Amino acid sequence: MDGNGRWAKTKGLPRIAGHRVGAETLKTIVETCLDLELECLTVYAFSTENWKRPAKEIEALMELLVEYIDQELDELKQNGIKIKTIGNLSQLPLVAQLKVKKAEKETEQNQKLLLQIALNYGGRKEILDAVNRITQEVAAGRIAAGTINDSLFAQYLYTAGIPEPDLLIRTAGELRLSNFLLWQSAYTEFWFTDVFWPDFTAQHLYQAIYDYQYRQRRFGGLK
Ligand code: FPP
């Protein structure tokens, strides 16, 4: 959800105002995904590298997360949305951890749209966590050394059991992955736009999906 800060700057507003409008955009996009009957939407809300930002901005982002859950949880529940976070929650402020856990618990039976929120998430950290857990299993004799394959490895990722993303959208003109779903995006289709996240609308999402439908996915094979 990139470009909140720059969007605010173009309007002479503080960065957090951009994040605030960004949270509104998220509401619209979640509704659109629901209308389109998509299976899963994953949003990158806070990376393991975002701790480098000023404390005031981090605090404001955590407050926005809490506010988002407070305001939206009832509707998310009614709409059959299941909330799940990926990342290391234990470093978040306690109030944010509790809110997130409550939202996950109260929506765990929902089956319409999975809203996966990447919070204190880093793709490398996720892969290293998987490696560490697998090596423990090997040491305990529960997995034989030399037998680890793609599907076993994927079971140790935070996204275990969730399909790999078909389409990845990056806003605000950045042309990189920034440590997002490194393993899972091996064959994901990418769609880039210069539009800042607060200006991203349902129309942009339709355009991305429309373009995606014309992509030829060969997964390394032939057509
Ligand atoms: C990146 O834009 C955006 C973030 C690090 C935060 C995204 C968070 C939200 C949209 C808040 C709502 C989230 C939830 C889950 C309620 P940037 O600030 O790096 O933009 P810039 O590159 O223009 O500075």
Side-chain angles (χ1 to χ4, degrees):
M1 299 185 281
D2 210 358
N4 297 339
R6 277 165 285 169
W7 179 90
K9 198 172 175 200
T10 61
K11 303 213 158 8
L13 296 168
R15 292 178 56 81
I16 188 61
H19 294 311
R20 192 163 279 286
V21 179
E24 294 301 316
T25 300
L26 178 61
K27 291 180 196 170
T28 308
I29 296 306
V30 167
E31 276 168 32
T32 311
C33 289
L34 202 60
D35 289 347
L36 292 171
E37 297 181 13
L38 297 190
E39 200 177 323
C40 177
L41 169 70
T42 305
V43 290
Y44 206 176
F46 196 85
S47 76
T48 44
E49 288 73 34
N50 285 149
W51 296 108
K52 294 177 195 158
R53 296 192 177 203
K56 224 176 99 187
E57 182 168 341
I58 295 174
E59 214 173 282
L61 279 170
M62 297 299 156
E63 278 168 20
L64 259 185
L65 171 70
V66 169
E67 216 175 278
Y68 177 83
I69 296 174
D70 277 342
Q71 285 175 5
E72 295 299 300
L73 188 56
D74 282 347
E75 203 173 323
L76 293 169
K77 272 156 75 173
Q78 279 163 23
N79 286 334
I81 295 172
K82 175 173 173 165
I83 295 182
K84 182 177 170 279
T85 53
I86 51 172
N88 182 359
L89 284 189
S90 68
Q91 287 171 320
L92 264 49
L94 193 60
V95 58
Q97 289 184 40
L98 294 173
K99 281 284 171 205
V100 164
K101 284 188 184 138
K102 173 178 147 80
E104 287 183 327
K105 179 113 203 55
E106 292 185 13
T107 61
E108 70 187 345
Q109 301 301 331
N110 285 352
Q111 289 187 345
K112 268 200 179 144
L113 169 72
L114 172 65
L115 172 58
Q116 228 175 193
I117 307 177
L119 274 176
N120 193 20
Y121 172 87
R124 287 184 176 176
K125 178 78 170 70
E126 179 184 32
I127 289 170
L128 289 173
D129 281 353
V131 169
N132 284 318
R133 285 175 57 212
I134 291 171
T135 50
Q136 279 170 9
E137 295 292 301
V138 171
R142 286 189 288 267
I143 295 176
T147 63
I148 299 151
N149 57 22
D150 281 19
S151 65
L152 181 116
F153 192 80
Q155 287 168 32
Y156 285 82
L157 295 171
Y158 307 150
T159 54
I162 289 150
E164 290 176 1
D166 291 314
L167 173 65
L168 184 145
I169 298 174
R170 178 136 196 192
T171 54
E174 306 296 355
L175 304 177
R176 57 176 174 266
L177 207 42
S178 298
N179 210 7
F180 187 61
L181 299 180
L182 295 181
W183 172 277
Q184 299 87 336
S185 60
Y187 282 98
T188 296
E189 296 293 326
F190 286 57
W191 193 84
F192 295 105
T193 176
D194 287 338
V195 172
F196 293 144
W197 177 251
D199 285 331
F200 193 86
T201 62
Q203 288 302 323
H204 295 113
L205 180 60
Y206 298 150
Q207 184 66 53
I209 293 171
Y210 182 85
D211 291 348
Y212 167 83
Q213 288 171 333
Y214 285 89
R215 302 274 178 96
Q216 252 187 35
R217 303 189 75 190
R218 294 186 296 277
F219 299 95
L222 299 177
K223 185 173 178 260

